[in-house]
Amino acid sequence: MVGLQGAGKSTWVQRHLAATHAVVSKDHWPRARRREARQQRVVAELLAAGRSVVVDNTHPSPEERAPLVAAARAAGLPVRAVWVDTPLEQCLARVEARNATREERARVPLVGVLSARRRFRPPSEDEGFDRVDLVRPGS
Ligand SMILES: Nc1ncnc2c1ncn2[C@@H]1O[C@H](COP(=O)(O)OP(=O)(O)O)[C@@H](O)[C@H]1O
Ligand SMILES: [Mg+2]
């Protein structure tokens, strides 16, 4: 998955992939140390066990996506990017609304959304994806 915080990634995953894929996200271990290494290990183990996997994080830059492309390649499997392209203003409004209902430590800072927006580069087949799908609001 690729998309800013609040874009609608987790909702899309629940609707389209959760029945068929193991869902992995760093959000599942908000306080663990070395979350990136842990996630890579979990993804590799699931792929080795023959599961289809969806990784539900923001992944705004090619650098942040590269380890997952590499994990799929290492397992000899195809890899797809699903880019949930929701306008920044809408993402900010949703994150703000969601924060109001969350405990302090579960809140997503708005500066985090802006930071992801600054790093953002659209996913491309040049990065090694076999397929890039675009999801827009209302689609
Ligand atoms: N297609 C959609 N249309 C309207 N609201 C949506 C849609 N998808 C998600 N939302 C709402 O936007 C907020 C963020 O969605 P979420 O799936 O948690 O985003 P993300 O996982 O990208 O942070 C939630 O309140 C959710 O109900
Ligand atoms: Mg989410």
Side-chain angles (χ1 to χ4, degrees):
M1 300 306 295
V2 177
L4 302 179
Q5 301 89 331
K9 299 178 300 298
S10 299
T11 302
W12 196 91
V13 164
Q14 282 310 311
R15 198 167 293 158
H16 294 94
L17 296 178
T20 51
H21 291 59
V23 182
V24 176
S25 170
K26 289 182 200 169
D27 294 346
H28 298 167
W29 325 294
R31 281 172 298 172
R33 301 180 69 188
R34 296 175 44 77
R35 293 194 301 164
E36 176 64 31
R38 178 170 176 171
Q39 175 171 282
Q40 279 298 118
R41 195 172 63 241
V42 168
V43 168
E45 284 168 4
L46 286 164
L47 293 179
R51 298 289 306 275
S52 294
V53 177
V54 55
V55 186
D56 182 13
N57 300 307
T58 54
H59 301 130
S61 68
E63 290 73 20
E64 289 158 274
R65 301 187 285 261
L68 295 171
V69 174
R73 286 277 164 272
L77 295 166
V79 56
R80 165 194 187 198
V82 177
W83 171 20
V84 182
D85 182 23
T86 303
L88 174 65
E89 289 306 321
Q90 210 167 332
C91 294
L92 289 169
R94 288 180 184 176
V95 167
E96 200 165 24
R98 199 170 57 182
N99 280 346
T101 70
R102 284 187 172 180
E103 280 183 69
E104 176 131 17
R105 65 180 156 78
R107 289 180 194 151
V108 173
L110 295 182
V111 292
V113 186
L114 297 175
S115 163
R117 180 67 190 82
R118 266 197 308 277
R119 295 201 303 284
F120 188 83
R121 302 244 314 274
S124 153
E125 284 160 12
D126 296 343
E127 296 168 44
F129 291 110
D130 297 286
R131 204 172 124 187
V132 176
D133 291 326
L134 180 56
V135 176
R136 289 234 154 96
S139 69

